């Protein structure tokens, strides 16, 4: 997206960014407060979803539970592997990939056939200097 930034300085744009970020945080706080009111009014399951038809609105409220495992304890339980409720997730080791790219180009070239590389969103952070 190309923007017309004629007569706008980085300082002006940075100030606008800080203001927009502040408004975003306030809007998020307001939305979370409204969600809390809806939950108080309509209720929520500890886990699972419930949909409420309220006049012109369909309101879905979903309760969730976070579960964590102490893997040291888990490993000592002796649960047979075939019934262990465990998934193994394969993911790219970016540090290892960069190492190969710099230090072992032959392997990296082979590996590159399996890679798809796309630009990600560029992030911007603006903070006011403290003097």
């Amino acid at each position: 997206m190309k923007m017309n930034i004629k007569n706008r300085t980085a300082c002006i744009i940075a100030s606008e960014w800080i203001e927009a970020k502040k408004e975003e945080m306030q809007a998020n706080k307001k939305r979370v407060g409204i969600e809390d009111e809806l939950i108080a009014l309509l209720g929520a399951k500890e886990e699972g979803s419930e949909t409420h038809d309220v006049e012109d609105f369909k309101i879905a409220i979903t309760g969730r539970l976070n579960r964590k495992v102490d893997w040291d304890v888990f490993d000592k339980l002796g649960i047979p592997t075939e019934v262990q409720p465990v998934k193994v997730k394969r993911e790219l080791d970016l540090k290892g990939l960069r190492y190969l790219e710099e230090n072992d180009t032959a392997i990296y070239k082979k590996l590159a056939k399996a890679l798809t590389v796309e630009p990600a969103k560029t992030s911007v952070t603006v903070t006011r200097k403290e003097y």
Side-chain angles (χ1 to χ4, degrees):
M1 171 171 53
K2 187 98 169 158
M3 296 186 155
N4 182 5
I5 58 171
K6 190 176 181 183
N7 299 324
R8 288 172 46 83
T9 65
C11 183
I12 290 169
I13 296 169
S15 294
E16 290 175 359
W17 186 95
I18 286 178
E19 186 60 30
K21 191 71 174 174
K22 183 175 152 186
E23 290 169 3
E24 179 184 345
M25 289 170 59
Q26 290 169 341
N28 185 64
K29 187 176 178 180
K30 180 178 179 180
R31 179 186 51 80
V32 169
I34 292 167
E35 289 172 356
D36 289 343
E37 285 186 71
L38 285 168
I39 292 167
L41 187 64
L42 301 173
K45 292 181 176 183
E46 181 177 52
E47 187 170 38
S49 182
E50 200 166 26
T51 301
H52 305 270
D53 288 312
V54 179
E55 296 181 25
D56 294 339
F57 301 97
K58 227 179 200 182
I59 302 168
I61 298 176
T62 305
R64 292 187 172 85
L65 296 174
N66 293 322
R67 294 172 173 88
K68 294 182 182 180
V69 173
D70 181 329
W71 293 108
D72 292 331
V73 172
F74 182 89
D75 291 339
K76 294 174 187 170
L77 296 175
I79 298 172
T81 306
E82 60 274 6
V83 295
Q84 289 182 2
V86 176
K87 289 182 183 180
V88 177
K89 180 182 175 187
R90 293 173 71 180
E91 63 181 271
L92 186 62
D93 174 3
L94 190 54
K95 188 176 179 180
L97 178 70
R98 288 182 176 147
Y99 175 85
L100 291 173
E101 186 176 18
E102 294 294 319
N103 298 291
D104 196 333
T105 54
I107 290 178
Y108 180 79
K109 283 180 184 177
K110 280 185 180 180
L111 182 59
K113 294 174 187 173
L115 291 176
T116 300
V117 180
E118 301 171 328
K121 183 183 182 306
T122 302
S123 65
V124 176
T125 303
V126 179
T127 55
R128 289 210 184 269
K129 292 181 184 176
E130 294 184 32
Y131 295 97

Short mmCIF file of all heavy atoms in Angstrom, two decimals, residues 9-69:
data_model
loop_
_atom_site.label_atom_id
_atom_site.label_comp_id
_atom_site.label_asym_id
_atom_site.label_seq_id
_atom_site.Cartn_x
_atom_site.Cartn_y
_atom_site.Cartn_z
N THR A 9 6.65 14.22 8.39
CA THR A 9 7.95 13.79 8.88
C THR A 9 7.80 12.50 9.69
O THR A 9 6.71 12.15 10.14
CB THR A 9 8.58 14.86 9.80
OG1 THR A 9 7.76 14.99 10.97
CG2 THR A 9 8.68 16.21 9.10
N ALA A 10 8.92 11.82 9.89
CA ALA A 10 8.91 10.60 10.71
C ALA A 10 8.45 10.93 12.13
O ALA A 10 7.75 10.13 12.76
CB ALA A 10 10.30 9.97 10.73
N CYS A 11 8.77 12.11 12.62
CA CYS A 11 8.35 12.52 13.97
C CYS A 11 6.83 12.64 14.06
O CYS A 11 6.21 12.16 15.01
CB CYS A 11 9.02 13.83 14.35
SG CYS A 11 8.65 14.37 16.03
N ILE A 12 6.21 13.25 13.07
CA ILE A 12 4.75 13.39 13.04
C ILE A 12 4.10 12.02 12.98
O ILE A 12 3.16 11.70 13.72
CB ILE A 12 4.30 14.27 11.85
CG1 ILE A 12 4.71 15.73 12.07
CG2 ILE A 12 2.79 14.16 11.62
CD1 ILE A 12 4.56 16.62 10.85
N ILE A 13 4.61 11.17 12.09
CA ILE A 13 4.04 9.84 11.91
C ILE A 13 4.23 9.01 13.19
O ILE A 13 3.32 8.30 13.61
CB ILE A 13 4.66 9.14 10.68
CG1 ILE A 13 4.30 9.93 9.41
CG2 ILE A 13 4.17 7.70 10.58
CD1 ILE A 13 5.07 9.51 8.18
N ALA A 14 5.39 9.12 13.84
CA ALA A 14 5.65 8.39 15.08
C ALA A 14 4.69 8.84 16.17
O ALA A 14 4.16 8.01 16.93
CB ALA A 14 7.10 8.57 15.53
N SER A 15 4.42 10.14 16.25
CA SER A 15 3.46 10.64 17.24
C SER A 15 2.07 10.09 16.98
O SER A 15 1.35 9.70 17.91
CB SER A 15 3.41 12.17 17.21
OG SER A 15 4.63 12.72 17.63
N GLU A 16 1.68 10.03 15.72
CA GLU A 16 0.38 9.47 15.36
C GLU A 16 0.33 7.98 15.69
O GLU A 16 -0.70 7.47 16.13
CB GLU A 16 0.10 9.69 13.87
CG GLU A 16 -0.17 11.15 13.54
CD GLU A 16 -0.34 11.39 12.05
OE1 GLU A 16 -0.24 10.42 11.25
OE2 GLU A 16 -0.58 12.55 11.67
N TRP A 17 1.45 7.28 15.51
CA TRP A 17 1.51 5.85 15.83
C TRP A 17 1.27 5.64 17.32
O TRP A 17 0.49 4.78 17.71
CB TRP A 17 2.87 5.28 15.41
CG TRP A 17 3.00 3.80 15.57
CD1 TRP A 17 2.80 2.87 14.60
CD2 TRP A 17 3.35 3.07 16.75
NE1 TRP A 17 3.01 1.61 15.10
CE2 TRP A 17 3.35 1.71 16.43
CE3 TRP A 17 3.68 3.43 18.05
CZ2 TRP A 17 3.66 0.71 17.34
CZ3 TRP A 17 3.98 2.44 18.98
CH2 TRP A 17 3.96 1.09 18.61
N ILE A 18 1.93 6.45 18.14
CA ILE A 18 1.77 6.32 19.60
C ILE A 18 0.32 6.58 19.98
O ILE A 18 -0.27 5.87 20.80
CB ILE A 18 2.75 7.24 20.35
CG1 ILE A 18 4.15 6.64 20.27
CG2 ILE A 18 2.32 7.47 21.80
CD1 ILE A 18 5.25 7.44 20.92
N GLU A 19 -0.29 7.59 19.40
CA GLU A 19 -1.70 7.91 19.70
C GLU A 19 -2.61 6.77 19.25
O GLU A 19 -3.52 6.36 19.97
CB GLU A 19 -2.11 9.22 19.03
CG GLU A 19 -3.49 9.70 19.39
CD GLU A 19 -3.70 9.96 20.88
OE1 GLU A 19 -2.74 10.32 21.59
OE2 GLU A 19 -4.85 9.77 21.34
N ALA A 20 -2.37 6.23 18.06
CA ALA A 20 -3.18 5.13 17.56
C ALA A 20 -3.03 3.89 18.44
O ALA A 20 -4.00 3.18 18.71
CB ALA A 20 -2.80 4.81 16.11
N LYS A 21 -1.82 3.62 18.91
CA LYS A 21 -1.58 2.47 19.78
C LYS A 21 -2.32 2.65 21.10
O LYS A 21 -2.91 1.70 21.62
CB LYS A 21 -0.06 2.32 20.01
CG LYS A 21 0.34 1.05 20.67
CD LYS A 21 0.17 -0.12 19.71
CE LYS A 21 0.70 -1.38 20.33
NZ LYS A 21 0.45 -2.55 19.50
N LYS A 22 -2.32 3.87 21.62
CA LYS A 22 -3.04 4.18 22.86
C LYS A 22 -4.54 3.95 22.67
O LYS A 22 -5.20 3.33 23.51
CB LYS A 22 -2.76 5.63 23.26
CG LYS A 22 -3.37 6.07 24.56
CD LYS A 22 -2.90 7.49 24.86
CE LYS A 22 -3.91 8.24 25.67
NZ LYS A 22 -3.55 9.64 25.87
N GLU A 23 -5.08 4.43 21.54
CA GLU A 23 -6.51 4.24 21.24
C GLU A 23 -6.83 2.76 21.08
O GLU A 23 -7.89 2.29 21.52
CB GLU A 23 -6.88 5.00 19.96
CG GLU A 23 -6.87 6.51 20.13
CD GLU A 23 -6.99 7.27 18.81
OE1 GLU A 23 -7.13 6.62 17.74
OE2 GLU A 23 -6.91 8.51 18.84
N GLU A 24 -5.92 2.01 20.46
CA GLU A 24 -6.11 0.57 20.28
C GLU A 24 -6.18 -0.13 21.64
O GLU A 24 -7.03 -0.99 21.86
CB GLU A 24 -4.95 0.02 19.45
CG GLU A 24 -4.97 -1.46 19.21
CD GLU A 24 -3.73 -1.93 18.45
OE1 GLU A 24 -3.00 -1.10 17.87
OE2 GLU A 24 -3.50 -3.14 18.46
N MET A 25 -5.30 0.23 22.56
CA MET A 25 -5.30 -0.37 23.89
C MET A 25 -6.59 -0.02 24.65
O MET A 25 -7.16 -0.87 25.33
CB MET A 25 -4.06 0.07 24.67
CG MET A 25 -2.77 -0.55 24.13
SD MET A 25 -1.25 0.15 24.82
CE MET A 25 -1.46 -0.17 26.55
N GLN A 26 -7.04 1.22 24.51
CA GLN A 26 -8.28 1.63 25.17
C GLN A 26 -9.47 0.88 24.59
O GLN A 26 -10.35 0.43 25.33
CB GLN A 26 -8.47 3.15 25.04
CG GLN A 26 -7.49 3.95 25.86
CD GLN A 26 -7.52 5.44 25.52
OE1 GLN A 26 -7.99 5.86 24.48
NE2 GLN A 26 -6.97 6.25 26.44
N ALA A 27 -9.48 0.72 23.26
CA ALA A 27 -10.58 -0.01 22.62
C ALA A 27 -10.57 -1.47 23.04
O ALA A 27 -11.63 -2.06 23.30
CB ALA A 27 -10.46 0.11 21.09
N ASN A 28 -9.39 -2.05 23.16
CA ASN A 28 -9.28 -3.44 23.60
C ASN A 28 -9.79 -3.59 25.03
O ASN A 28 -10.55 -4.52 25.34
CB ASN A 28 -7.83 -3.92 23.50
CG ASN A 28 -7.69 -5.38 23.84
OD1 ASN A 28 -8.21 -6.24 23.16
ND2 ASN A 28 -7.00 -5.66 24.93
N LYS A 29 -9.41 -2.67 25.90
CA LYS A 29 -9.87 -2.71 27.30
C LYS A 29 -11.40 -2.58 27.35
O LYS A 29 -12.06 -3.30 28.11
CB LYS A 29 -9.21 -1.57 28.08
CG LYS A 29 -9.47 -1.60 29.55
CD LYS A 29 -8.68 -0.49 30.26
CE LYS A 29 -8.98 -0.48 31.74
NZ LYS A 29 -8.26 0.56 32.46
N LYS A 30 -11.96 -1.70 26.54
CA LYS A 30 -13.41 -1.53 26.49
C LYS A 30 -14.09 -2.80 26.00
O LYS A 30 -15.08 -3.26 26.58
CB LYS A 30 -13.77 -0.34 25.59
CG LYS A 30 -15.25 -0.08 25.49
CD LYS A 30 -15.54 1.13 24.61
CE LYS A 30 -17.05 1.36 24.50
NZ LYS A 30 -17.37 2.52 23.66
N ARG A 31 -13.55 -3.41 24.92
CA ARG A 31 -14.14 -4.64 24.38
C ARG A 31 -14.10 -5.77 25.40
O ARG A 31 -15.09 -6.48 25.58
CB ARG A 31 -13.39 -5.07 23.11
CG ARG A 31 -13.95 -6.37 22.51
CD ARG A 31 -13.12 -6.88 21.34
NE ARG A 31 -11.71 -6.98 21.60
CZ ARG A 31 -11.12 -7.99 22.26
NH1 ARG A 31 -11.84 -8.99 22.73
NH2 ARG A 31 -9.82 -8.01 22.42
N VAL A 32 -12.98 -5.93 26.11
CA VAL A 32 -12.87 -6.98 27.11
C VAL A 32 -13.88 -6.75 28.24
O VAL A 32 -14.50 -7.70 28.72
CB VAL A 32 -11.42 -7.08 27.64
CG1 VAL A 32 -11.34 -7.97 28.87
CG2 VAL A 32 -10.49 -7.59 26.54
N GLY A 33 -14.09 -5.51 28.62
CA GLY A 33 -15.09 -5.18 29.65
C GLY A 33 -16.49 -5.56 29.19
O GLY A 33 -17.29 -6.11 29.97
N ILE A 34 -16.81 -5.29 27.93
CA ILE A 34 -18.12 -5.64 27.37
C ILE A 34 -18.27 -7.16 27.33
O ILE A 34 -19.33 -7.70 27.67
CB ILE A 34 -18.29 -5.02 25.96
CG1 ILE A 34 -18.39 -3.49 26.09
CG2 ILE A 34 -19.50 -5.59 25.24
CD1 ILE A 34 -18.25 -2.74 24.78
N GLU A 35 -17.20 -7.87 26.96
CA GLU A 35 -17.24 -9.33 26.95
C GLU A 35 -17.52 -9.86 28.35
O GLU A 35 -18.32 -10.79 28.52
CB GLU A 35 -15.93 -9.91 26.42
CG GLU A 35 -15.73 -9.69 24.92
CD GLU A 35 -14.35 -10.09 24.44
OE1 GLU A 35 -13.48 -10.49 25.27
OE2 GLU A 35 -14.11 -10.02 23.22
N ASP A 36 -16.88 -9.27 29.36
CA ASP A 36 -17.11 -9.69 30.75
C ASP A 36 -18.58 -9.49 31.15
O ASP A 36 -19.16 -10.32 31.84
CB ASP A 36 -16.19 -8.92 31.71
CG ASP A 36 -14.73 -9.34 31.60
OD1 ASP A 36 -14.46 -10.42 31.03
OD2 ASP A 36 -13.86 -8.59 32.08
N GLU A 37 -19.19 -8.38 30.69
CA GLU A 37 -20.60 -8.13 30.98
C GLU A 37 -21.49 -9.19 30.32
O GLU A 37 -22.44 -9.68 30.94
CB GLU A 37 -21.03 -6.75 30.47
CG GLU A 37 -20.53 -5.60 31.31
CD GLU A 37 -21.12 -4.28 30.82
OE1 GLU A 37 -22.34 -4.07 31.00
OE2 GLU A 37 -20.35 -3.49 30.24
N LEU A 38 -21.18 -9.54 29.07
CA LEU A 38 -21.96 -10.56 28.38
C LEU A 38 -21.84 -11.91 29.09
O LEU A 38 -22.84 -12.63 29.25
CB LEU A 38 -21.51 -10.69 26.92
CG LEU A 38 -21.97 -9.58 25.98
CD1 LEU A 38 -21.24 -9.65 24.65
CD2 LEU A 38 -23.48 -9.64 25.77
N ILE A 39 -20.65 -12.25 29.53
CA ILE A 39 -20.43 -13.51 30.25
C ILE A 39 -21.21 -13.50 31.56
O ILE A 39 -21.87 -14.49 31.91
CB ILE A 39 -18.93 -13.76 30.49
CG1 ILE A 39 -18.23 -14.04 29.16
CG2 ILE A 39 -18.71 -14.91 31.46
CD1 ILE A 39 -16.71 -13.98 29.22
N ALA A 40 -21.18 -12.38 32.27
CA ALA A 40 -21.92 -12.27 33.54
C ALA A 40 -23.42 -12.41 33.30
O ALA A 40 -24.13 -13.03 34.10
CB ALA A 40 -21.60 -10.94 34.22
N LEU A 41 -23.91 -11.87 32.21
CA LEU A 41 -25.34 -11.89 31.91
C LEU A 41 -25.81 -13.24 31.37
O LEU A 41 -26.84 -13.76 31.77
CB LEU A 41 -25.65 -10.78 30.90
CG LEU A 41 -27.11 -10.53 30.57
CD1 LEU A 41 -27.85 -10.04 31.82
CD2 LEU A 41 -27.23 -9.50 29.46
N LEU A 42 -25.02 -13.82 30.45
CA LEU A 42 -25.45 -15.03 29.75
C LEU A 42 -24.83 -16.31 30.29
O LEU A 42 -25.31 -17.40 29.99
CB LEU A 42 -25.13 -14.91 28.25
CG LEU A 42 -25.79 -13.72 27.53
CD1 LEU A 42 -25.25 -13.60 26.11
CD2 LEU A 42 -27.30 -13.86 27.54
N GLY A 43 -23.76 -16.18 31.04
CA GLY A 43 -23.08 -17.35 31.59
C GLY A 43 -22.08 -17.93 30.61
O GLY A 43 -22.07 -17.60 29.43
N ALA A 44 -21.24 -18.83 31.12
CA ALA A 44 -20.24 -19.48 30.29
C ALA A 44 -19.96 -20.87 30.84
O ALA A 44 -19.92 -21.07 32.05
CB ALA A 44 -18.94 -18.66 30.28
N LYS A 45 -19.80 -21.81 29.93
CA LYS A 45 -19.38 -23.15 30.33
C LYS A 45 -17.91 -23.08 30.73
O LYS A 45 -17.16 -22.25 30.23
CB LYS A 45 -19.52 -24.12 29.15
CG LYS A 45 -20.92 -24.41 28.72
CD LYS A 45 -20.87 -25.41 27.56
CE LYS A 45 -22.25 -25.84 27.14
NZ LYS A 45 -22.18 -26.85 26.07
N GLU A 46 -17.52 -23.99 31.63
CA GLU A 46 -16.10 -24.04 31.99
C GLU A 46 -15.27 -24.39 30.75
O GLU A 46 -14.19 -23.85 30.52
CB GLU A 46 -15.87 -25.08 33.08
CG GLU A 46 -14.42 -25.16 33.52
CD GLU A 46 -14.19 -26.14 34.64
OE1 GLU A 46 -14.61 -27.31 34.52
OE2 GLU A 46 -13.59 -25.73 35.63
N GLU A 47 -15.81 -25.30 29.95
CA GLU A 47 -15.15 -25.68 28.72
C GLU A 47 -16.22 -26.00 27.68
O GLU A 47 -17.17 -26.72 27.96
CB GLU A 47 -14.23 -26.88 28.93
CG GLU A 47 -13.38 -27.22 27.73
CD GLU A 47 -12.30 -28.24 28.03
OE1 GLU A 47 -12.56 -29.18 28.81
OE2 GLU A 47 -11.20 -28.09 27.48
N GLY A 48 -16.07 -25.42 26.51
CA GLY A 48 -17.04 -25.65 25.45
C GLY A 48 -17.73 -24.37 25.05
O GLY A 48 -17.58 -23.33 25.69
N SER A 49 -18.51 -24.46 23.98
CA SER A 49 -19.14 -23.28 23.40
C SER A 49 -20.65 -23.34 23.58
O SER A 49 -21.25 -24.41 23.58
CB SER A 49 -18.79 -23.21 21.91
OG SER A 49 -19.35 -22.07 21.33
N GLU A 50 -21.22 -22.17 23.72
CA GLU A 50 -22.67 -22.05 23.81
C GLU A 50 -23.07 -20.81 23.01
O GLU A 50 -22.45 -19.76 23.15
CB GLU A 50 -23.07 -21.89 25.28
CG GLU A 50 -24.51 -22.22 25.56
CD GLU A 50 -24.78 -22.37 27.06
OE1 GLU A 50 -24.04 -21.78 27.86
OE2 GLU A 50 -25.73 -23.07 27.39
N THR A 51 -24.10 -20.97 22.16
CA THR A 51 -24.55 -19.86 21.34
C THR A 51 -25.89 -19.37 21.85
O THR A 51 -26.77 -20.16 22.18
CB THR A 51 -24.68 -20.29 19.87
OG1 THR A 51 -23.40 -20.76 19.42
CG2 THR A 51 -25.11 -19.13 18.98
N HIS A 52 -26.02 -18.05 21.93
CA HIS A 52 -27.25 -17.42 22.42
C HIS A 52 -27.83 -16.56 21.30
O HIS A 52 -27.12 -15.75 20.70
CB HIS A 52 -26.94 -16.52 23.63
CG HIS A 52 -26.24 -17.25 24.74
ND1 HIS A 52 -26.90 -17.89 25.75
CD2 HIS A 52 -24.91 -17.44 24.99
CE1 HIS A 52 -26.04 -18.44 26.57
NE2 HIS A 52 -24.82 -18.18 26.14
N ASP A 53 -29.12 -16.75 21.02
CA ASP A 53 -29.81 -15.90 20.07
C ASP A 53 -30.46 -14.78 20.85
O ASP A 53 -31.35 -15.01 21.67
CB ASP A 53 -30.88 -16.70 19.30
CG ASP A 53 -30.27 -17.65 18.31
OD1 ASP A 53 -29.38 -17.22 17.55
OD2 ASP A 53 -30.67 -18.84 18.29
N VAL A 54 -29.98 -13.56 20.62
CA VAL A 54 -30.49 -12.39 21.34
C VAL A 54 -30.92 -11.36 20.30
O VAL A 54 -30.07 -10.71 19.68
CB VAL A 54 -29.42 -11.80 22.28
CG1 VAL A 54 -29.95 -10.59 23.01
CG2 VAL A 54 -28.91 -12.85 23.26
N GLU A 55 -32.22 -11.27 20.06
CA GLU A 55 -32.79 -10.36 19.06
C GLU A 55 -32.04 -10.48 17.73
O GLU A 55 -32.07 -11.53 17.12
CB GLU A 55 -32.83 -8.93 19.61
CG GLU A 55 -33.74 -8.80 20.82
CD GLU A 55 -33.82 -7.40 21.38
OE1 GLU A 55 -33.59 -6.44 20.62
OE2 GLU A 55 -34.15 -7.26 22.57
N ASP A 56 -31.34 -9.44 17.32
CA ASP A 56 -30.65 -9.45 16.02
C ASP A 56 -29.25 -10.04 16.10
O ASP A 56 -28.50 -9.98 15.12
CB ASP A 56 -30.54 -8.03 15.46
CG ASP A 56 -31.89 -7.43 15.12
OD1 ASP A 56 -32.85 -8.21 14.93
OD2 ASP A 56 -31.99 -6.20 15.02
N PHE A 57 -28.87 -10.58 17.26
CA PHE A 57 -27.50 -11.03 17.45
C PHE A 57 -27.41 -12.50 17.77
O PHE A 57 -28.28 -13.08 18.41
CB PHE A 57 -26.84 -10.25 18.60
CG PHE A 57 -26.81 -8.77 18.38
CD1 PHE A 57 -27.80 -7.96 18.94
CD2 PHE A 57 -25.82 -8.18 17.62
CE1 PHE A 57 -27.78 -6.59 18.75
CE2 PHE A 57 -25.80 -6.81 17.41
CZ PHE A 57 -26.79 -6.01 17.98
N LYS A 58 -26.34 -13.11 17.32
CA LYS A 58 -25.96 -14.45 17.71
C LYS A 58 -24.68 -14.27 18.53
O LYS A 58 -23.68 -13.76 18.02
CB LYS A 58 -25.65 -15.28 16.46
CG LYS A 58 -26.29 -16.62 16.45
CD LYS A 58 -25.97 -17.35 15.18
CE LYS A 58 -27.01 -18.44 15.02
NZ LYS A 58 -26.80 -19.24 13.86
N ILE A 59 -24.71 -14.65 19.79
CA ILE A 59 -23.56 -14.44 20.67
C ILE A 59 -23.01 -15.80 21.08
O ILE A 59 -23.71 -16.60 21.71
CB ILE A 59 -23.96 -13.63 21.92
CG1 ILE A 59 -24.56 -12.28 21.49
CG2 ILE A 59 -22.76 -13.45 22.84
CD1 ILE A 59 -25.24 -11.52 22.62
N ALA A 60 -21.78 -16.08 20.70
CA ALA A 60 -21.13 -17.34 21.07
C ALA A 60 -20.14 -17.06 22.19
O ALA A 60 -19.31 -16.16 22.10
CB ALA A 60 -20.41 -17.94 19.87
N ILE A 61 -20.27 -17.84 23.26
CA ILE A 61 -19.36 -17.71 24.40
C ILE A 61 -18.68 -19.07 24.57
O ILE A 61 -19.35 -20.09 24.72
CB ILE A 61 -20.12 -17.30 25.67
CG1 ILE A 61 -20.77 -15.92 25.46
CG2 ILE A 61 -19.18 -17.28 26.87
CD1 ILE A 61 -21.62 -15.44 26.61
N THR A 62 -17.36 -19.06 24.53
CA THR A 62 -16.59 -20.29 24.59
C THR A 62 -15.67 -20.28 25.80
O THR A 62 -14.83 -19.38 25.94
CB THR A 62 -15.74 -20.47 23.31
OG1 THR A 62 -16.61 -20.39 22.17
CG2 THR A 62 -15.00 -21.79 23.31
N GLY A 63 -15.85 -21.27 26.66
CA GLY A 63 -14.96 -21.44 27.81
C GLY A 63 -13.81 -22.37 27.44
O GLY A 63 -13.98 -23.31 26.67
N ARG A 64 -12.65 -22.08 27.97
CA ARG A 64 -11.47 -22.89 27.66
C ARG A 64 -10.71 -23.20 28.94
O ARG A 64 -10.70 -22.40 29.88
CB ARG A 64 -10.56 -22.16 26.70
CG ARG A 64 -11.16 -22.00 25.32
CD ARG A 64 -10.13 -21.40 24.34
NE ARG A 64 -10.62 -21.41 22.99
CZ ARG A 64 -11.39 -20.47 22.44
NH1 ARG A 64 -11.76 -19.45 23.16
NH2 ARG A 64 -11.78 -20.57 21.20
N LEU A 65 -10.06 -24.34 28.95
CA LEU A 65 -9.16 -24.71 30.03
C LEU A 65 -7.77 -24.90 29.43
O LEU A 65 -7.63 -25.54 28.39
CB LEU A 65 -9.61 -26.02 30.69
CG LEU A 65 -10.95 -26.00 31.41
CD1 LEU A 65 -11.31 -27.41 31.88
CD2 LEU A 65 -10.91 -25.06 32.59
N ASN A 66 -6.77 -24.33 30.06
CA ASN A 66 -5.39 -24.55 29.65
C ASN A 66 -4.85 -25.74 30.43
O ASN A 66 -5.05 -25.84 31.64
CB ASN A 66 -4.52 -23.32 29.93
CG ASN A 66 -4.90 -22.15 29.07
OD1 ASN A 66 -5.23 -22.32 27.90
ND2 ASN A 66 -4.86 -20.96 29.62
N ARG A 67 -4.19 -26.62 29.73
CA ARG A 67 -3.61 -27.80 30.37
C ARG A 67 -2.12 -27.82 30.09
O ARG A 67 -1.70 -27.60 28.95
CB ARG A 67 -4.26 -29.07 29.83
CG ARG A 67 -5.73 -29.18 30.21
CD ARG A 67 -6.37 -30.37 29.49
NE ARG A 67 -7.73 -30.61 29.94
CZ ARG A 67 -8.81 -30.05 29.44
NH1 ARG A 67 -8.69 -29.16 28.47
NH2 ARG A 67 -10.00 -30.36 29.90
N LYS A 68 -1.34 -28.10 31.12
CA LYS A 68 0.11 -28.22 30.99
C LYS A 68 0.53 -29.53 31.61
O LYS A 68 -0.10 -30.02 32.54
CB LYS A 68 0.81 -27.06 31.69
CG LYS A 68 0.53 -25.72 31.04
CD LYS A 68 1.28 -24.61 31.71
CE LYS A 68 0.92 -23.29 31.04
NZ LYS A 68 1.60 -22.17 31.64
N VAL A 69 1.60 -30.08 31.10
CA VAL A 69 2.10 -31.36 31.59
C VAL A 69 3.49 -31.17 32.17
O VAL A 69 4.34 -30.50 31.58
CB VAL A 69 2.16 -32.40 30.45
CG1 VAL A 69 2.82 -33.69 30.90
CG2 VAL A 69 0.77 -32.68 29.92
#
